[in-house]
Short mmCIF file of all heavy atoms in Angstrom, two decimals:
data_model
loop_
_atom_site.label_atom_id
_atom_site.label_comp_id
_atom_site.label_asym_id
_atom_site.label_seq_id
_atom_site.Cartn_x
_atom_site.Cartn_y
_atom_site.Cartn_z
N GLU G 12 11.83 -36.22 1.00
CA GLU G 12 10.47 -35.72 1.23
C GLU G 12 9.66 -36.84 1.87
O GLU G 12 10.16 -37.93 2.11
CB GLU G 12 9.83 -35.30 -0.11
CG GLU G 12 10.37 -34.04 -0.70
CD GLU G 12 9.96 -32.77 0.03
OE1 GLU G 12 9.32 -32.83 1.10
OE2 GLU G 12 10.31 -31.69 -0.47
N GLU G 13 8.37 -36.59 2.09
CA GLU G 13 7.49 -37.63 2.60
C GLU G 13 7.57 -38.83 1.66
O GLU G 13 7.65 -38.66 0.44
CB GLU G 13 6.06 -37.09 2.69
CG GLU G 13 5.83 -36.07 3.80
CD GLU G 13 6.51 -34.72 3.60
OE1 GLU G 13 6.95 -34.39 2.48
OE2 GLU G 13 6.62 -33.98 4.56
N PRO G 14 7.55 -40.06 2.21
CA PRO G 14 7.75 -41.25 1.38
C PRO G 14 6.87 -41.34 0.12
O PRO G 14 7.39 -41.71 -0.94
CB PRO G 14 7.49 -42.41 2.34
CG PRO G 14 7.91 -41.86 3.67
CD PRO G 14 7.48 -40.40 3.64
N PRO G 15 5.59 -40.99 0.15
CA PRO G 15 4.81 -41.07 -1.09
C PRO G 15 5.25 -40.06 -2.15
O PRO G 15 4.91 -40.20 -3.32
CB PRO G 15 3.38 -40.78 -0.66
CG PRO G 15 3.35 -40.93 0.81
CD PRO G 15 4.73 -40.67 1.30
N ILE G 16 6.00 -39.05 -1.73
CA ILE G 16 6.50 -38.05 -2.68
C ILE G 16 7.86 -38.48 -3.22
O ILE G 16 8.09 -38.44 -4.43
CB ILE G 16 6.61 -36.66 -2.00
CG1 ILE G 16 5.26 -36.20 -1.43
CG2 ILE G 16 7.19 -35.63 -2.96
CD1 ILE G 16 4.19 -35.95 -2.45
N SER G 17 8.77 -38.90 -2.35
CA SER G 17 10.12 -39.28 -2.78
C SER G 17 10.19 -40.64 -3.43
O SER G 17 10.99 -40.86 -4.34
CB SER G 17 11.08 -39.26 -1.59
OG SER G 17 11.29 -37.95 -1.17
N GLY G 18 9.39 -41.57 -2.94
CA GLY G 18 9.44 -42.93 -3.48
C GLY G 18 10.86 -43.48 -3.46
O GLY G 18 11.68 -43.09 -2.64
N ARG G 19 11.15 -44.35 -4.37
CA ARG G 19 12.48 -44.96 -4.45
C ARG G 19 13.46 -44.12 -5.28
O ARG G 19 14.64 -44.06 -4.99
CB ARG G 19 12.36 -46.36 -5.05
CG ARG G 19 13.62 -47.20 -4.87
CD ARG G 19 13.45 -48.55 -5.43
NE ARG G 19 13.26 -48.41 -6.88
CZ ARG G 19 13.16 -49.39 -7.73
NH1 ARG G 19 13.16 -50.62 -7.31
NH2 ARG G 19 13.00 -49.17 -9.02
N ASN G 20 12.96 -43.45 -6.30
CA ASN G 20 13.83 -42.72 -7.23
C ASN G 20 13.99 -41.25 -6.91
O ASN G 20 14.77 -40.56 -7.55
CB ASN G 20 13.31 -42.85 -8.66
CG ASN G 20 13.31 -44.27 -9.13
OD1 ASN G 20 14.04 -45.11 -8.61
ND2 ASN G 20 12.48 -44.56 -10.10
N GLY G 21 13.23 -40.74 -5.97
CA GLY G 21 13.32 -39.34 -5.59
C GLY G 21 12.28 -38.46 -6.27
O GLY G 21 11.67 -38.82 -7.26
N SER G 22 12.12 -37.31 -5.67
CA SER G 22 11.24 -36.27 -6.17
C SER G 22 12.10 -35.26 -6.91
O SER G 22 13.14 -34.85 -6.42
CB SER G 22 10.52 -35.61 -4.98
OG SER G 22 9.68 -34.58 -5.40
N GLY G 23 11.68 -34.86 -8.08
CA GLY G 23 12.45 -33.89 -8.87
C GLY G 23 12.21 -32.48 -8.39
O GLY G 23 11.32 -31.79 -8.88
N THR G 24 12.98 -32.05 -7.41
CA THR G 24 12.73 -30.75 -6.79
C THR G 24 13.33 -29.61 -7.59
O THR G 24 14.43 -29.68 -8.09
CB THR G 24 13.28 -30.68 -5.36
OG1 THR G 24 14.67 -31.00 -5.38
CG2 THR G 24 12.56 -31.62 -4.43
N ILE G 25 12.54 -28.56 -7.66
CA ILE G 25 12.97 -27.28 -8.20
C ILE G 25 12.84 -26.29 -7.04
O ILE G 25 11.73 -25.98 -6.61
CB ILE G 25 12.07 -26.81 -9.36
CG1 ILE G 25 11.94 -27.85 -10.45
CG2 ILE G 25 12.53 -25.45 -9.87
CD1 ILE G 25 13.09 -27.93 -11.41
N PHE G 26 13.96 -25.84 -6.49
CA PHE G 26 13.95 -24.87 -5.39
C PHE G 26 13.98 -23.46 -5.99
O PHE G 26 14.98 -23.08 -6.59
CB PHE G 26 15.15 -25.07 -4.47
CG PHE G 26 14.99 -26.18 -3.48
CD1 PHE G 26 15.34 -27.48 -3.83
CD2 PHE G 26 14.49 -25.95 -2.21
CE1 PHE G 26 15.20 -28.52 -2.93
CE2 PHE G 26 14.35 -26.98 -1.31
CZ PHE G 26 14.70 -28.27 -1.66
N PHE G 27 12.89 -22.73 -5.81
CA PHE G 27 12.83 -21.36 -6.29
C PHE G 27 13.45 -20.42 -5.26
O PHE G 27 13.36 -20.65 -4.05
CB PHE G 27 11.37 -20.95 -6.55
CG PHE G 27 10.76 -21.69 -7.69
CD1 PHE G 27 10.00 -22.83 -7.47
CD2 PHE G 27 10.94 -21.27 -8.99
CE1 PHE G 27 9.44 -23.53 -8.52
CE2 PHE G 27 10.39 -21.96 -10.05
CZ PHE G 27 9.64 -23.10 -9.82
N SER G 28 14.06 -19.37 -5.74
CA SER G 28 14.64 -18.36 -4.87
C SER G 28 13.55 -17.46 -4.32
O SER G 28 12.61 -17.10 -5.04
CB SER G 28 15.65 -17.54 -5.67
OG SER G 28 16.25 -16.57 -4.87
N GLY G 29 13.66 -17.11 -3.05
CA GLY G 29 12.68 -16.25 -2.41
C GLY G 29 11.57 -17.05 -1.76
O GLY G 29 11.49 -18.27 -1.90
N CYS G 30 10.73 -16.35 -1.01
CA CYS G 30 9.63 -17.00 -0.30
C CYS G 30 8.63 -15.95 0.13
O CYS G 30 8.98 -14.78 0.28
CB CYS G 30 10.18 -17.74 0.93
SG CYS G 30 8.92 -18.74 1.78
N THR G 31 7.41 -16.37 0.37
CA THR G 31 6.38 -15.47 0.89
C THR G 31 6.55 -15.22 2.38
O THR G 31 5.94 -14.32 2.93
CB THR G 31 4.97 -16.04 0.64
OG1 THR G 31 4.88 -17.33 1.23
CG2 THR G 31 4.67 -16.13 -0.85
N GLY G 32 7.38 -16.01 3.04
CA GLY G 32 7.59 -15.86 4.48
C GLY G 32 9.02 -15.46 4.81
O GLY G 32 9.90 -15.41 3.95
N LYS G 33 9.19 -15.18 6.06
CA LYS G 33 10.51 -14.83 6.60
C LYS G 33 10.75 -15.66 7.87
O LYS G 33 11.08 -15.12 8.92
CB LYS G 33 10.57 -13.34 6.93
CG LYS G 33 10.18 -12.43 5.79
CD LYS G 33 11.40 -11.89 5.10
CE LYS G 33 11.05 -10.89 4.02
NZ LYS G 33 10.83 -11.46 2.73
N CYS G 34 10.57 -16.95 7.78
CA CYS G 34 10.65 -17.83 8.95
C CYS G 34 12.05 -17.81 9.56
O CYS G 34 13.04 -18.04 8.86
CB CYS G 34 10.27 -19.26 8.56
SG CYS G 34 8.60 -19.42 7.89
N ARG G 35 12.10 -17.56 10.84
CA ARG G 35 13.39 -17.51 11.55
C ARG G 35 14.09 -18.86 11.56
O ARG G 35 15.30 -18.93 11.74
CB ARG G 35 13.16 -17.06 12.99
CG ARG G 35 12.65 -15.65 13.09
CD ARG G 35 12.44 -15.28 14.54
NE ARG G 35 11.87 -13.95 14.63
CZ ARG G 35 11.66 -13.34 15.76
NH1 ARG G 35 11.97 -13.93 16.90
NH2 ARG G 35 11.14 -12.14 15.78
N PHE G 36 13.34 -19.92 11.40
CA PHE G 36 13.88 -21.28 11.49
C PHE G 36 14.10 -21.93 10.13
O PHE G 36 14.38 -23.11 10.04
CB PHE G 36 12.92 -22.17 12.29
CG PHE G 36 11.50 -22.11 11.78
CD1 PHE G 36 11.12 -22.84 10.67
CD2 PHE G 36 10.58 -21.29 12.39
CE1 PHE G 36 9.83 -22.77 10.17
CE2 PHE G 36 9.28 -21.21 11.91
CZ PHE G 36 8.91 -21.95 10.80
N CYS G 37 14.02 -21.18 9.05
CA CYS G 37 14.06 -21.75 7.70
C CYS G 37 15.34 -22.55 7.46
O CYS G 37 16.44 -22.05 7.67
CB CYS G 37 13.94 -20.65 6.65
SG CYS G 37 13.92 -21.28 4.96
N GLN G 38 15.18 -23.78 6.99
CA GLN G 38 16.34 -24.62 6.69
C GLN G 38 16.98 -24.25 5.36
O GLN G 38 18.07 -24.69 5.05
CB GLN G 38 15.94 -26.09 6.70
CG GLN G 38 14.96 -26.47 5.61
CD GLN G 38 14.49 -27.90 5.74
OE1 GLN G 38 14.63 -28.54 6.79
NE2 GLN G 38 13.92 -28.43 4.68
N ASN G 39 16.30 -23.43 4.56
CA ASN G 39 16.82 -22.99 3.26
C ASN G 39 16.98 -21.47 3.24
O ASN G 39 16.72 -20.81 2.23
CB ASN G 39 15.86 -23.42 2.14
CG ASN G 39 15.70 -24.91 2.07
OD1 ASN G 39 16.68 -25.64 2.08
ND2 ASN G 39 14.47 -25.37 2.01
N TYR G 40 17.45 -20.90 4.33
CA TYR G 40 17.49 -19.46 4.52
C TYR G 40 18.23 -18.72 3.41
O TYR G 40 17.77 -17.69 2.94
CB TYR G 40 18.10 -19.13 5.89
CG TYR G 40 17.76 -17.75 6.38
CD1 TYR G 40 16.56 -17.51 7.02
CD2 TYR G 40 18.64 -16.69 6.20
CE1 TYR G 40 16.22 -16.25 7.47
CE2 TYR G 40 18.32 -15.42 6.64
CZ TYR G 40 17.12 -15.21 7.28
OH TYR G 40 16.78 -13.95 7.72
N SER G 41 19.35 -19.25 2.96
CA SER G 41 20.10 -18.55 1.91
C SER G 41 19.32 -18.49 0.60
O SER G 41 19.44 -17.54 -0.16
CB SER G 41 21.47 -19.20 1.69
OG SER G 41 21.31 -20.53 1.24
N ILE G 42 18.50 -19.49 0.37
CA ILE G 42 17.66 -19.52 -0.83
C ILE G 42 16.44 -18.63 -0.64
O ILE G 42 16.10 -17.81 -1.48
CB ILE G 42 17.22 -20.96 -1.15
CG1 ILE G 42 18.42 -21.83 -1.50
CG2 ILE G 42 16.18 -20.98 -2.27
CD1 ILE G 42 18.09 -23.31 -1.60
N SER G 43 15.78 -18.78 0.51
CA SER G 43 14.51 -18.09 0.72
C SER G 43 14.67 -16.60 1.02
O SER G 43 13.80 -15.81 0.67
CB SER G 43 13.72 -18.76 1.84
OG SER G 43 14.33 -18.54 3.10
N GLN G 44 15.76 -16.20 1.63
CA GLN G 44 15.89 -14.81 2.08
C GLN G 44 16.96 -14.00 1.35
O GLN G 44 16.87 -12.78 1.29
CB GLN G 44 16.17 -14.77 3.58
CG GLN G 44 15.14 -15.50 4.41
CD GLN G 44 13.71 -15.06 4.13
OE1 GLN G 44 13.41 -13.88 4.15
NE2 GLN G 44 12.83 -16.01 3.88
N PHE G 45 17.99 -14.63 0.83
CA PHE G 45 19.09 -13.88 0.23
C PHE G 45 19.10 -13.88 -1.29
O PHE G 45 20.03 -13.38 -1.92
CB PHE G 45 20.44 -14.41 0.75
CG PHE G 45 20.64 -14.22 2.22
CD1 PHE G 45 21.21 -15.22 2.98
CD2 PHE G 45 20.25 -13.06 2.86
CE1 PHE G 45 21.40 -15.06 4.34
CE2 PHE G 45 20.42 -12.88 4.22
CZ PHE G 45 21.01 -13.89 4.96
N GLY G 46 18.07 -14.47 -1.91
CA GLY G 46 17.96 -14.42 -3.36
C GLY G 46 18.95 -15.29 -4.10
O GLY G 46 19.20 -15.07 -5.29
N TYR G 47 19.51 -16.29 -3.44
CA TYR G 47 20.45 -17.20 -4.09
C TYR G 47 19.75 -17.91 -5.24
O TYR G 47 18.67 -18.45 -5.08
CB TYR G 47 20.97 -18.21 -3.07
CG TYR G 47 21.85 -19.28 -3.66
CD1 TYR G 47 23.18 -19.02 -3.94
CD2 TYR G 47 21.34 -20.54 -3.95
CE1 TYR G 47 23.99 -19.99 -4.50
CE2 TYR G 47 22.14 -21.52 -4.51
CZ TYR G 47 23.47 -21.24 -4.78
OH TYR G 47 24.26 -22.20 -5.34
N GLY G 48 20.36 -17.89 -6.41
CA GLY G 48 19.80 -18.59 -7.56
C GLY G 48 20.12 -17.88 -8.86
O GLY G 48 20.76 -16.83 -8.87
N ASN G 49 19.64 -18.46 -9.94
CA ASN G 49 19.89 -17.94 -11.29
C ASN G 49 18.58 -17.80 -12.05
O ASN G 49 17.72 -18.69 -11.99
CB ASN G 49 20.82 -18.87 -12.07
CG ASN G 49 22.17 -18.99 -11.42
OD1 ASN G 49 22.89 -18.02 -11.27
ND2 ASN G 49 22.51 -20.20 -10.99
N VAL G 50 18.46 -16.71 -12.78
CA VAL G 50 17.32 -16.53 -13.66
C VAL G 50 17.48 -17.49 -14.84
O VAL G 50 18.57 -17.61 -15.39
CB VAL G 50 17.26 -15.07 -14.18
CG1 VAL G 50 16.14 -14.90 -15.20
CG2 VAL G 50 17.08 -14.10 -13.02
N VAL G 51 16.41 -18.20 -15.16
CA VAL G 51 16.44 -19.12 -16.30
C VAL G 51 15.29 -18.78 -17.24
O VAL G 51 14.25 -18.28 -16.83
CB VAL G 51 16.37 -20.61 -15.87
CG1 VAL G 51 17.54 -20.98 -14.98
CG2 VAL G 51 15.07 -20.92 -15.16
N SER G 52 15.48 -19.07 -18.51
CA SER G 52 14.44 -18.85 -19.50
C SER G 52 13.33 -19.89 -19.35
O SER G 52 13.53 -20.95 -18.72
CB SER G 52 15.03 -18.94 -20.91
OG SER G 52 15.41 -20.28 -21.18
N THR G 53 12.21 -19.62 -19.97
CA THR G 53 11.10 -20.59 -19.97
C THR G 53 11.55 -21.91 -20.56
O THR G 53 11.24 -22.99 -20.02
CB THR G 53 9.91 -20.02 -20.75
OG1 THR G 53 9.48 -18.82 -20.12
CG2 THR G 53 8.76 -21.01 -20.82
N GLU G 54 12.30 -21.86 -21.65
CA GLU G 54 12.75 -23.09 -22.31
C GLU G 54 13.73 -23.86 -21.43
O GLU G 54 13.69 -25.09 -21.38
CB GLU G 54 13.36 -22.76 -23.67
CG GLU G 54 12.37 -22.26 -24.70
CD GLU G 54 11.91 -20.82 -24.46
OE1 GLU G 54 12.61 -20.06 -23.73
OE2 GLU G 54 10.84 -20.46 -24.97
N ARG G 55 14.63 -23.15 -20.77
CA ARG G 55 15.59 -23.82 -19.88
C ARG G 55 14.86 -24.47 -18.71
O ARG G 55 15.17 -25.58 -18.31
CB ARG G 55 16.65 -22.82 -19.39
CG ARG G 55 17.61 -23.40 -18.37
CD ARG G 55 18.54 -24.42 -19.03
NE ARG G 55 19.45 -24.96 -18.04
CZ ARG G 55 19.55 -26.27 -17.76
NH1 ARG G 55 18.84 -27.16 -18.42
NH2 ARG G 55 20.38 -26.68 -16.84
N PHE G 56 13.89 -23.75 -18.16
CA PHE G 56 13.08 -24.28 -17.07
C PHE G 56 12.36 -25.55 -17.52
O PHE G 56 12.40 -26.58 -16.84
CB PHE G 56 12.09 -23.20 -16.62
CG PHE G 56 11.15 -23.63 -15.53
CD1 PHE G 56 11.60 -24.19 -14.35
CD2 PHE G 56 9.79 -23.45 -15.69
CE1 PHE G 56 10.71 -24.57 -13.35
CE2 PHE G 56 8.90 -23.82 -14.70
CZ PHE G 56 9.36 -24.38 -13.53
N ALA G 57 11.74 -25.52 -18.69
CA ALA G 57 11.06 -26.70 -19.23
C ALA G 57 12.05 -27.85 -19.41
O ALA G 57 11.74 -29.01 -19.10
CB ALA G 57 10.38 -26.37 -20.55
#
Side-chain angles (χ1 to χ4, degrees):
E12 288 288 6
E13 288 70 15
I16 303 294
S17 291
R19 194 178 64 176
N20 298 338
S22 179
T24 55
I25 306 280
F26 280 87
F27 292 96
S28 181
C30 186
T31 57
K33 307 261 184 270
C34 300
R35 295 179 183 184
F36 52 80
C37 182
Q38 65 186 17
N39 299 312
Y40 200 82
S41 63
I42 295 170
S43 70
Q44 305 307 309
F45 296 139
Y47 175 79
N49 297 299
V50 175
V51 299
S52 69
T53 299
E54 291 74 20
R55 175 70 180 122
F56 177 53

